[in-house]
């Protein structure tokens, strides 16, 4: 089965509900979306309801995602959000394991695995982010890190849940304002490793999982990543935080 092309952005800790809703509305008006692709917007939790109001509470070709979720169905976890709460908002997708969650909030691979299983079990799509730090790369163990994150993150996922899974390869050293954009030569071997890792975990069906690239993507470099055979889409931060930037990055990358 051919893999879908995916493209989307994560607002991180930016945008009020009203700003996110205007962004989504303008995006819908700015794009003709080909049937074989999926776009997504991941605003802060507080914007989810406002954006879903714009999207309509029906399946929409621009998915609305959440930036995190807790693994427990409910309980004494102050400040956390459950899969049931996301389901009640008809959220389409949740990103797990973003480098900022791993770095600033010390999320471990094992915790992320619990979150992946909880989200998939609740019927949510999951975008699991993996990526090595500059230090790991400098010691030549970038590939090992990514494979460890992948193998633990996907442990216990059932083959019939793979249609809900997507992976984002985001080298930590390439993300955000201080990041250095990766080259296609940097990305290609790791994307191949992720593809092989998925196939190793889910023989015969692992190749169905789309792999996105993220980290300092913008209209000038988007196409270099999507030209790679193992890259099926882009996960963009800063360059897609304006509607024009989102549209330009999508058009050059697709
Ligand atoms: P960036 O962020 O595109 O601003 O580097 C990417 C990300 O954090 O996913």
């Amino acid at each position: 089965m051919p893999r879908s092309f995916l493209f989307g952005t994560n607002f991180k800790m930016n945008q009020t509900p009203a700003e996110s809703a205007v962004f989504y509305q303008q995006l819908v008006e700015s794009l003709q979306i080909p049937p074989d692709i999926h776009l997504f917007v991941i605003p802060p939790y507080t914007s989810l309801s406002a954006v879903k109001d714009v999207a309509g509470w029906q399946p929409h070709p621009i998915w609305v995602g959440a930036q995190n979720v807790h693994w427990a169905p409910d309980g004494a976890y102050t400040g956390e959000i459950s899969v049931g709460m996301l389901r009640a908002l008809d959220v389409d997708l949740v990103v797990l394991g973003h480098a900022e969650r791993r770095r600033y909030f010390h999320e471990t691979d094992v915790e992320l695995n619990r979150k992946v299983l909880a989200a998939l079990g609740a019927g949510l799509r999951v975008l699991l982010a993996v990526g090595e730090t500059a230090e790991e790369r400098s010691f030549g163990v970038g590939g090992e890190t990514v494979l460890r994150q992948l193998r633990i993150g996907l442990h216990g996922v059932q083959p019939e849940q793979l249609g809900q899974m997507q992976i984002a390869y985001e080298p930590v050293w390439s993300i955000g304002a201080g990041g250095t954009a990766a080259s296609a030569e940097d990305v290609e071997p790791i994307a191949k490793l992720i593809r092989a890792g998925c196939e190793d975990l889910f023989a015969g069906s692992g190749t169905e999982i789309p792999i996105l690239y993220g980290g300092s993507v913008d209209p000038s470099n988007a196409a270099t990543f999507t030209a790679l055979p193992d890259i099926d889409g882009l996960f963009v931060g800063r360059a897609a935080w304006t509607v024009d930037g989102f549209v330009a990055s999508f058009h050059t990358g697709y």
Side-chain angles (χ1 to χ4, degrees):
M1 199 171 50
R3 292 184 297 269
S4 306
F5 183 86
L6 291 106
F7 181 96
T9 190
N10 162 21
F11 289 164
K12 307 190 179 182
M13 196 174 71
N14 296 292
Q15 298 216 12
T16 63
E19 289 165 342
S20 302
V22 167
F23 180 99
Y24 192 93
Q25 178 67 46
Q26 290 179 349
L27 194 59
V28 170
E29 288 163 7
S30 308
L31 280 170
Q32 295 285 350
I33 306 169
D36 57 331
I37 71 148
H38 297 290
L39 303 183
F40 59 88
V41 172
I42 306 183
Y45 286 138
T46 47
S47 292
L48 287 171
S49 184
V51 174
K52 285 302 287 192
D53 280 344
V54 177
W57 297 72
Q58 303 291 328
H60 193 285
I62 307 181
W63 293 337
V64 180
Q67 297 179 13
N68 187 20
V69 78
H70 197 265
W71 61 77
D74 50 44
Y77 297 104
T78 300
E80 294 293 324
I81 299 287
S82 72
V83 291
M85 294 170 190
L86 296 186
R87 287 292 305 192
L89 289 180
D90 251 332
V91 162
D92 304 292
L93 171 82
V94 60
V95 61
L96 293 172
H98 188 280
E100 290 149 14
R101 297 290 322 165
R102 294 178 188 265
R103 177 176 176 196
Y104 299 121
F105 304 102
H106 315 295
E107 291 194 359
T108 66
D109 293 321
V110 173
E111 284 168 350
L112 286 165
N113 176 243
R114 297 171 81 180
K115 294 181 177 203
V116 166
L117 296 179
L120 292 176
L124 289 163
R125 294 184 189 88
V126 171
L127 176 59
L128 176 68
V130 297
E132 79 285 4
T133 63
E135 190 178 41
E136 288 160 339
R137 184 173 185 240
S138 73
F139 283 108
V141 296
E144 277 98 324
T145 295
V146 166
L147 273 186
R148 186 200 70 236
Q149 293 172 343
L150 187 78
R151 292 187 71 89
I152 299 178
L154 296 184
H155 186 80
V157 172
Q158 300 303 307
E160 61 273 17
Q161 295 176 312
L162 295 185
Q164 294 163 249
M165 271 309 310
Q166 20 277 314
I167 305 293
Y169 170 50
E170 299 205 295
V172 178
W173 47 271
S174 77
I175 292 175
T180 326
S183 66
E185 292 71 35
D186 295 322
V187 175
E188 185 169 26
I190 306 282
K192 214 184 268 306
L193 208 59
I194 294 172
R195 179 77 64 219
C198 289
E199 186 51 19
D200 191 39
L201 283 168
F202 306 101
S205 45
T207 53
E208 284 171 26
I209 304 176
I211 301 172
L212 286 67
Y213 172 73
S216 295
V217 173
D218 62 30
S220 75
N221 62 20
T224 61
F225 302 117
T226 51
L228 297 172
D230 288 307
I231 293 295
D232 307 305
L234 296 169
F235 187 28
V236 188
R238 292 156 297 152
W241 288 347
T242 63
V243 173
D244 287 351
F246 187 110
V247 171
S249 303
F250 167 62
H251 280 316
T252 51
Y254 177 55

